[in-house]
Amino acid sequence: MRMESKKAWYRWPLMAVAVTGLALFAAACSDDDDGDDGGDETPAATSAATSGATQPAGGGETITISAGESIKIGISTTLTTDAAELGIPIRDAALLALSERPDIEGFSIENVIADDLCSGPGSEAAAQQLIAAEVVAVIGPMCSGGAVAALDDYGAENIVVITTSATNTSVTAQGATNLARTAWNDDVQGEEMAKFVYNELNLTNVVLVDDQSTYGKGLMDVFETSFTELGGTVASREVVTVGEQDYSAVVTTITGESPEMVVFGGYIAEGAALVRQLGDAGYEGAFMGADGIADQDFIDQAGEAAEGAYVSRGPQALETNFDEFIAKYIAEYGEDAGTQFTDFTYDGVNVLLNAIEQVATVNSDGDLEINQDDLIAAVKGITLENGATGTVEFLDNGDRDLAVGAINRVDQVTGGVLVELN
Amino acid sequence: MTANGSDVSVIPHAAASSAHLEVEDVVSGYGQIMAIKGITLRVDTGEIVALIGANGAGKSTTLRTVSGLLRPRSGRITFEGQKLDSVAPHKIVARGISHVPEGRAIFSQLSVRENLEMGAFQRKDKGGIAEDMERVAVIFPRLRERMKQDGGTLSGGEQQMLAIGRALMARPRLLLLDEPSMGLSPVLVETIFNTIIDINRAGTTILLVEQNASMALQIASRGYVLESGTIAMEATAAELRASDRVRKTYLGES
Amino acid sequence: MEQWIQLTIDGITLGGVYACIALGYTLVYGVLRMINFAHGELFMMGAFAGVYTLQGFQDHTSLNEDLPSLTITAAIFMGIVVAVVLAVLMERIAYRPLRHAPRLAPLISAIGVSIFLRNVMLRYTNARREVYPDVFPDGSIEIGDVSVSYIKLFLIGMSILFMVGLYLFIQRTKTGTAIRAVAEDRDTAALMGIDVDRTIVLTFVAGAALAGATGVCYGMYVGNAAAGMGFIPGIKAFTAAVLGGIGSVPGAMLGGYFLGLSEAYTTKLFGAQYKDVVAFVLLVAVLIFRPWGFLGKREDRRA
Ligand SMILES: Nc1ncnc2c1ncn2[C@@H]1O[C@H](COP(=O)(O)OP(=O)(O)OP(=O)(O)O)[C@@H](O)[C@H]1O
Ligand SMILES: [Mg+2]
């Protein structure tokens, strides 16, 4: 019989609750986890065991790739969980750029993809996979929290990392020398967003909402500081939980403040749900988000409520080769993913390949030698002309150099699509 | 045939056709433990057969094996000429066997009425079910007043009545009763045993497991004594009552 | 004041969803003493079945505009069908073979099923959300400053309807009574002539139907279906079930509303970042004083 003894029967649901409670709590506390554990499906680093490359641990040694072996480039992006909506186009853009340059000095280029789950632990696990696969350099991690967490892992191996989408200030503020970033730093964007709202739209009373991620919260922190300095009022700051979709209580709290605008830092799924439910609740004020929602998916998911929403695209170079890039992307994948991160990624890969071309030499045995220190220096010192996002140059800390002619672009949802203002 | 203190007595087999339930060489138990080790017994149509034995002798195990809750490891069980071993318990109920388990096992969170309805689970004849519900209420008037009450709120005696009434709701041809007198006052034991006789007279064959051997042997026609998982004796009830061994061990006489 | 009324409505909306999912946990726990951790995924699969049905109507007919009540009913029906089929398969393939294994085994199997289903849908959708066509009439009822959109009223109403339906099924039908009998004592239920395996399957079916139907209504409400959408509601509903007393049907409903309201009020009082913390503090507090939950049975009678 399945009779339980008097007391024991509830013990185990109690235990299960304790465990799930802890899990939720941990999810709530960690910066940037989307609370989803669906990470069993990591495309494994493929050919760790058989490589002929020697990989010195730290200290800027020279990587030797024997004749017949390939140069391995790691890609750390998010392939599962909601954030994969951005992660998959990023992967696709990277693969497109790699496919255009099949070899360097006769050595073929191989990609190794790892799923970083847009989280700290996920990105560290991805780093371990890529390191084990003996990659020469890494594109990624995708999310800011993940980049901050995994930088040390790559640093210990002196592997150069180019993140094309982790935009939080803290990523480059770590002082890591092996890092460069093709996407713009959030500080600039947060400040520009505040100026736009205060100066251009003449709105003074806003509510800020973020998704508790490093990116979303960071962007709203900068916005709050700048907006308050300008003289505006942040009536309240609210958060939404990634992975949930019913934000009505947050919406009720927001509408209770009667703000002129709701500003959101976060990604598509949460932003769309928020806008939609604000609309359902009869909110008539303005809405603004940033590059995390700058995607047609945002508009499709939010429905009619998205109409009129402002979307900051961050700094944009005046002269870019975007049209040429996007034509190639569409030819390969059928449609524009609608996110600027594909463009940053395409440029990031080209920066990397150019740098490798600069420093890789074939020795007398016919092996390819790449000095890690030289590679880092080459990446940092690069000038990539005609990039999809304009001319790419880096500052000492790895941030993109804004001096190379850029403006801040803001779009507005008009007739169901993003349209650039001006 | 003399039953005084000697070996297993043998009753000449009646014609096979009158055998209702036949258990042949059945071994059964729990995991590694073989609680019954090859027992053979027979219940003929219309009989009350008593199965007595000490605690842990294997009486309940025998009933649980017949009703399908346990699968026999070896041996054969037939009921009305059809093989019964390895048939699922709910199908055995459909064949006409109801088992009132030891300790009543009524559904404490179901009302008395729902308990009775569950007894008739496989029946579709609404009219017949209502009739039988009424019949049970006549047999056990105390249940009638408590139809809406949760089973768990009944007294021990009432629960036993409910358990028997519930088994009758399936209109069984063979009723397996496991210690119906357990924990009941002497008066109530009388009542229950009289009811068992009534049920039997109304046409239901009964295999009765009892600790209360004297009562059991009074109403049974034949009996088996089970010791450590094997049949130690087999005789008419009168012979068993007269046997020294039974009197000493099971009737508590000196 | 209006805001608190509004928050109460918000809490009831979400609470109803939690309650409907919680019922599935509690029913299955009742008969198997097992937490079906893949239950949240049935909710998710129901939402996908609903969105694909409505998209199909959208692409091939004009029924979404002409006769939305029909297409919505069809979507809910498909949500139920898909969730039920999956639940039956899940029980058959992943749980029944482990019926007599140590308790942890089916639990791990359930987590495996959950991850499997989520990733199948991630793959299938390429991690994109499927957007529900706009079939439900826009607009809202305004009473003073309190505004409740039609879709929200619909979700509240449907969840109550589903719960009442399930409650009547469990309490008033023969199959429902059999489920309760199996939950209390499987062997004795078998002795009544109840097919225990079949009853267990029917229990999964009942819970799945509820989860699938709720998934469709919730999907229409939030406007999309996504592979990860069942995870957090699943955990919350499980919490609600434990809070109400796992195994207890009214308990699951009470627990769901309790949790929904607690989240809504906490969001206003302390901010949404604390709602889960508060919910779990309440849970622990309740379980310290009533380890069997609000309405759970202590089960000491059968010891
Ligand atoms: N579920 C079980 N698991 C393991 N062993 C069991 C189980 N149930 C009974 N047994 C063992 O099987 C043997 C026979 O038990 P059974 O219940 O058939 O005895 P019984 O003759 O009915 O005794 P009682 O008069 O005390 O009811 C005993 O040794 C008992 O310990
Ligand atoms: Mg016994």
PDB file of all heavy atoms in Angstrom, chain A residues 40-65:
ATOM      1  N   ASP A  40      19.934  22.434 -21.912  1.00  0.00           N
ATOM      2  CA  ASP A  40      20.571  21.130 -22.058  1.00  0.00           C
ATOM      3  C   ASP A  40      21.051  20.923 -23.466  1.00  0.00           C
ATOM      4  O   ASP A  40      21.607  19.910 -23.795  1.00  0.00           O
ATOM      5  CB  ASP A  40      19.551  20.054 -21.732  1.00  0.00           C
ATOM      6  CG  ASP A  40      18.418  20.105 -22.715  1.00  0.00           C
ATOM      7  OD1 ASP A  40      18.030  21.234 -23.106  1.00  0.00           O
ATOM      8  OD2 ASP A  40      17.941  19.059 -23.101  1.00  0.00           O
ATOM      9  N   GLU A  41      20.833  21.897 -24.290  1.00  0.00           N
ATOM     10  CA  GLU A  41      20.904  21.613 -25.702  1.00  0.00           C
ATOM     11  C   GLU A  41      22.038  22.399 -26.311  1.00  0.00           C
ATOM     12  O   GLU A  41      21.931  22.984 -27.348  1.00  0.00           O
ATOM     13  CB  GLU A  41      19.546  22.032 -26.270  1.00  0.00           C
ATOM     14  CG  GLU A  41      19.238  21.666 -27.636  1.00  0.00           C
ATOM     15  CD  GLU A  41      18.633  22.886 -28.290  1.00  0.00           C
ATOM     16  OE1 GLU A  41      18.382  23.879 -27.623  1.00  0.00           O
ATOM     17  OE2 GLU A  41      18.450  22.819 -29.485  1.00  0.00           O
ATOM     18  N   THR A  42      23.120  22.425 -25.590  1.00  0.00           N
ATOM     19  CA  THR A  42      24.236  23.218 -26.041  1.00  0.00           C
ATOM     20  C   THR A  42      24.944  22.520 -27.189  1.00  0.00           C
ATOM     21  O   THR A  42      25.432  21.417 -27.013  1.00  0.00           O
ATOM     22  CB  THR A  42      25.244  23.360 -24.905  1.00  0.00           C
ATOM     23  OG1 THR A  42      24.498  23.393 -23.707  1.00  0.00           O
ATOM     24  CG2 THR A  42      26.080  24.568 -25.057  1.00  0.00           C
ATOM     25  N   PRO A  43      24.993  23.155 -28.309  1.00  0.00           N
ATOM     26  CA  PRO A  43      25.767  22.525 -29.379  1.00  0.00           C
ATOM     27  C   PRO A  43      27.198  22.388 -28.880  1.00  0.00           C
ATOM     28  O   PRO A  43      27.863  23.373 -28.602  1.00  0.00           O
ATOM     29  CB  PRO A  43      25.665  23.534 -30.515  1.00  0.00           C
ATOM     30  CG  PRO A  43      24.513  24.406 -30.179  1.00  0.00           C
ATOM     31  CD  PRO A  43      24.439  24.427 -28.676  1.00  0.00           C
ATOM     32  N   ALA A  44      27.600  21.192 -28.716  1.00  0.00           N
ATOM     33  CA  ALA A  44      28.865  20.957 -28.031  1.00  0.00           C
ATOM     34  C   ALA A  44      30.028  21.439 -28.874  1.00  0.00           C
ATOM     35  O   ALA A  44      29.971  21.468 -30.095  1.00  0.00           O
ATOM     36  CB  ALA A  44      29.017  19.481 -27.740  1.00  0.00           C
ATOM     37  N   ALA A  45      31.027  21.834 -28.184  1.00  0.00           N
ATOM     38  CA  ALA A  45      32.260  22.152 -28.865  1.00  0.00           C
ATOM     39  C   ALA A  45      32.716  20.869 -29.525  1.00  0.00           C
ATOM     40  O   ALA A  45      32.781  19.831 -28.889  1.00  0.00           O
ATOM     41  CB  ALA A  45      33.287  22.621 -27.861  1.00  0.00           C
ATOM     42  N   THR A  46      32.968  20.944 -30.780  1.00  0.00           N
ATOM     43  CA  THR A  46      32.984  19.699 -31.527  1.00  0.00           C
ATOM     44  C   THR A  46      34.296  18.911 -31.497  1.00  0.00           C
ATOM     45  O   THR A  46      34.291  17.721 -31.268  1.00  0.00           O
ATOM     46  CB  THR A  46      32.593  19.946 -32.990  1.00  0.00           C
ATOM     47  OG1 THR A  46      33.208  21.159 -33.396  1.00  0.00           O
ATOM     48  CG2 THR A  46      31.099  20.045 -33.125  1.00  0.00           C
ATOM     49  N   SER A  47      35.390  19.556 -31.737  1.00  0.00           N
ATOM     50  CA  SER A  47      36.548  18.722 -32.028  1.00  0.00           C
ATOM     51  C   SER A  47      37.693  18.971 -31.068  1.00  0.00           C
ATOM     52  O   SER A  47      38.814  19.209 -31.469  1.00  0.00           O
ATOM     53  CB  SER A  47      36.986  18.983 -33.457  1.00  0.00           C
ATOM     54  OG  SER A  47      37.117  20.376 -33.621  1.00  0.00           O
ATOM     55  N   ALA A  48      37.360  18.944 -29.785  1.00  0.00           N
ATOM     56  CA  ALA A  48      38.374  19.279 -28.791  1.00  0.00           C
ATOM     57  C   ALA A  48      39.549  18.318 -28.798  1.00  0.00           C
ATOM     58  O   ALA A  48      40.708  18.721 -28.689  1.00  0.00           O
ATOM     59  CB  ALA A  48      37.756  19.298 -27.408  1.00  0.00           C
ATOM     60  N   ALA A  49      39.268  17.065 -28.945  1.00  0.00           N
ATOM     61  CA  ALA A  49      40.291  16.068 -28.677  1.00  0.00           C
ATOM     62  C   ALA A  49      41.362  15.977 -29.755  1.00  0.00           C
ATOM     63  O   ALA A  49      42.522  15.746 -29.468  1.00  0.00           O
ATOM     64  CB  ALA A  49      39.642  14.709 -28.495  1.00  0.00           C
ATOM     65  N   THR A  50      40.976  16.199 -30.995  1.00  0.00           N
ATOM     66  CA  THR A  50      41.872  15.808 -32.070  1.00  0.00           C
ATOM     67  C   THR A  50      42.701  16.942 -32.635  1.00  0.00           C
ATOM     68  O   THR A  50      43.393  16.783 -33.619  1.00  0.00           O
ATOM     69  CB  THR A  50      41.051  15.213 -33.221  1.00  0.00           C
ATOM     70  OG1 THR A  50      40.079  16.185 -33.589  1.00  0.00           O
ATOM     71  CG2 THR A  50      40.359  13.938 -32.798  1.00  0.00           C
ATOM     72  N   SER A  51      42.610  18.110 -32.009  1.00  0.00           N
ATOM     73  CA  SER A  51      43.292  19.241 -32.620  1.00  0.00           C
ATOM     74  C   SER A  51      44.802  19.123 -32.507  1.00  0.00           C
ATOM     75  O   SER A  51      45.349  18.622 -31.541  1.00  0.00           O
ATOM     76  CB  SER A  51      42.838  20.529 -31.964  1.00  0.00           C
ATOM     77  OG  SER A  51      43.637  21.572 -32.431  1.00  0.00           O
ATOM     78  N   GLY A  52      45.445  19.636 -33.517  1.00  0.00           N
ATOM     79  CA  GLY A  52      46.902  19.629 -33.480  1.00  0.00           C
ATOM     80  C   GLY A  52      47.452  20.913 -32.904  1.00  0.00           C
ATOM     81  O   GLY A  52      48.650  21.083 -32.802  1.00  0.00           O
ATOM     82  N   ALA A  53      46.567  21.828 -32.542  1.00  0.00           N
ATOM     83  CA  ALA A  53      47.049  23.108 -32.036  1.00  0.00           C
ATOM     84  C   ALA A  53      47.554  22.949 -30.607  1.00  0.00           C
ATOM     85  O   ALA A  53      47.028  22.172 -29.836  1.00  0.00           O
ATOM     86  CB  ALA A  53      45.929  24.128 -32.068  1.00  0.00           C
ATOM     87  N   THR A  54      48.556  23.699 -30.284  1.00  0.00           N
ATOM     88  CA  THR A  54      48.975  23.725 -28.890  1.00  0.00           C
ATOM     89  C   THR A  54      48.490  25.024 -28.288  1.00  0.00           C
ATOM     90  O   THR A  54      48.583  26.077 -28.889  1.00  0.00           O
ATOM     91  CB  THR A  54      50.501  23.651 -28.768  1.00  0.00           C
ATOM     92  OG1 THR A  54      51.058  24.646 -29.610  1.00  0.00           O
ATOM     93  CG2 THR A  54      51.024  22.297 -29.169  1.00  0.00           C
ATOM     94  N   GLN A  55      47.951  24.920 -27.113  1.00  0.00           N
ATOM     95  CA  GLN A  55      47.290  26.070 -26.515  1.00  0.00           C
ATOM     96  C   GLN A  55      47.966  26.395 -25.203  1.00  0.00           C
ATOM     97  O   GLN A  55      47.707  25.775 -24.188  1.00  0.00           O
ATOM     98  CB  GLN A  55      45.820  25.718 -26.285  1.00  0.00           C
ATOM     99  CG  GLN A  55      45.016  26.794 -25.617  1.00  0.00           C
ATOM    100  CD  GLN A  55      44.772  27.972 -26.548  1.00  0.00           C
ATOM    101  OE1 GLN A  55      44.066  27.852 -27.528  1.00  0.00           O
ATOM    102  NE2 GLN A  55      45.395  29.095 -26.262  1.00  0.00           N
ATOM    103  N   PRO A  56      48.856  27.350 -25.208  1.00  0.00           N
ATOM    104  CA  PRO A  56      49.508  27.678 -23.959  1.00  0.00           C
ATOM    105  C   PRO A  56      48.527  28.327 -22.992  1.00  0.00           C
ATOM    106  O   PRO A  56      47.652  29.070 -23.431  1.00  0.00           O
ATOM    107  CB  PRO A  56      50.590  28.666 -24.375  1.00  0.00           C
ATOM    108  CG  PRO A  56      50.107  29.264 -25.634  1.00  0.00           C
ATOM    109  CD  PRO A  56      49.240  28.250 -26.306  1.00  0.00           C
ATOM    110  N   ALA A  57      48.650  28.050 -21.708  1.00  0.00           N
ATOM    111  CA  ALA A  57      47.771  28.646 -20.725  1.00  0.00           C
ATOM    112  C   ALA A  57      48.319  29.988 -20.282  1.00  0.00           C
ATOM    113  O   ALA A  57      49.311  30.069 -19.583  1.00  0.00           O
ATOM    114  CB  ALA A  57      47.607  27.723 -19.523  1.00  0.00           C
ATOM    115  N   GLY A  58      47.688  31.050 -20.719  1.00  0.00           N
ATOM    116  CA  GLY A  58      48.051  32.392 -20.281  1.00  0.00           C
ATOM    117  C   GLY A  58      49.383  32.870 -20.838  1.00  0.00           C
ATOM    118  O   GLY A  58      50.072  32.177 -21.577  1.00  0.00           O
ATOM    119  N   GLY A  59      49.642  34.138 -20.564  1.00  0.00           N
ATOM    120  CA  GLY A  59      50.975  34.655 -20.813  1.00  0.00           C
ATOM    121  C   GLY A  59      51.308  34.968 -22.249  1.00  0.00           C
ATOM    122  O   GLY A  59      52.473  35.140 -22.585  1.00  0.00           O
ATOM    123  N   GLY A  60      50.313  35.055 -23.127  1.00  0.00           N
ATOM    124  CA  GLY A  60      50.556  35.533 -24.463  1.00  0.00           C
ATOM    125  C   GLY A  60      51.536  34.700 -25.234  1.00  0.00           C
ATOM    126  O   GLY A  60      52.509  35.204 -25.787  1.00  0.00           O
ATOM    127  N   GLU A  61      51.323  33.423 -25.242  1.00  0.00           N
ATOM    128  CA  GLU A  61      52.244  32.587 -25.999  1.00  0.00           C
ATOM    129  C   GLU A  61      51.765  32.443 -27.427  1.00  0.00           C
ATOM    130  O   GLU A  61      50.735  32.965 -27.810  1.00  0.00           O
ATOM    131  CB  GLU A  61      52.383  31.241 -25.302  1.00  0.00           C
ATOM    132  CG  GLU A  61      53.106  31.433 -23.975  1.00  0.00           C
ATOM    133  CD  GLU A  61      53.153  30.151 -23.166  1.00  0.00           C
ATOM    134  OE1 GLU A  61      53.260  29.095 -23.808  1.00  0.00           O
ATOM    135  OE2 GLU A  61      53.067  30.248 -21.943  1.00  0.00           O
ATOM    136  N   THR A  62      52.544  31.704 -28.159  1.00  0.00           N
ATOM    137  CA  THR A  62      52.228  31.562 -29.569  1.00  0.00           C
ATOM    138  C   THR A  62      51.467  30.269 -29.801  1.00  0.00           C
ATOM    139  O   THR A  62      51.873  29.200 -29.343  1.00  0.00           O
ATOM    140  CB  THR A  62      53.530  31.572 -30.393  1.00  0.00           C
ATOM    141  OG1 THR A  62      54.149  32.849 -30.203  1.00  0.00           O
ATOM    142  CG2 THR A  62      53.246  31.350 -31.856  1.00  0.00           C
ATOM    143  N   ILE A  63      50.358  30.410 -30.491  1.00  0.00           N
ATOM    144  CA  ILE A  63      49.560  29.237 -30.839  1.00  0.00           C
ATOM    145  C   ILE A  63      50.092  28.705 -32.157  1.00  0.00           C
ATOM    146  O   ILE A  63      50.301  29.459 -33.098  1.00  0.00           O
ATOM    147  CB  ILE A  63      48.078  29.627 -31.013  1.00  0.00           C
ATOM    148  CG1 ILE A  63      47.538  30.207 -29.703  1.00  0.00           C
ATOM    149  CG2 ILE A  63      47.260  28.449 -31.481  1.00  0.00           C
ATOM    150  CD1 ILE A  63      46.179  30.845 -29.849  1.00  0.00           C
ATOM    151  N   THR A  64      50.328  27.391 -32.177  1.00  0.00           N
ATOM    152  CA  THR A  64      50.826  26.797 -33.411  1.00  0.00           C
ATOM    153  C   THR A  64      49.757  25.863 -33.963  1.00  0.00           C
ATOM    154  O   THR A  64      49.264  24.992 -33.252  1.00  0.00           O
ATOM    155  CB  THR A  64      52.112  26.001 -33.145  1.00  0.00           C
ATOM    156  OG1 THR A  64      53.025  26.871 -32.467  1.00  0.00           O
ATOM    157  CG2 THR A  64      52.718  25.507 -34.434  1.00  0.00           C
ATOM    158  N   ILE A  65      49.421  26.088 -35.199  1.00  0.00           N
ATOM    159  CA  ILE A  65      48.412  25.232 -35.824  1.00  0.00           C
ATOM    160  C   ILE A  65      49.101  24.448 -36.928  1.00  0.00           C
ATOM    161  O   ILE A  65      49.646  25.032 -37.879  1.00  0.00           O
ATOM    162  CB  ILE A  65      47.257  26.083 -36.394  1.00  0.00           C
ATOM    163  CG1 ILE A  65      46.579  26.850 -35.240  1.00  0.00           C
ATOM    164  CG2 ILE A  65      46.262  25.208 -37.131  1.00  0.00           C
ATOM    165  CD1 ILE A  65      45.612  27.896 -35.689  1.00  0.00           C
TER     166      ILE A  65
END
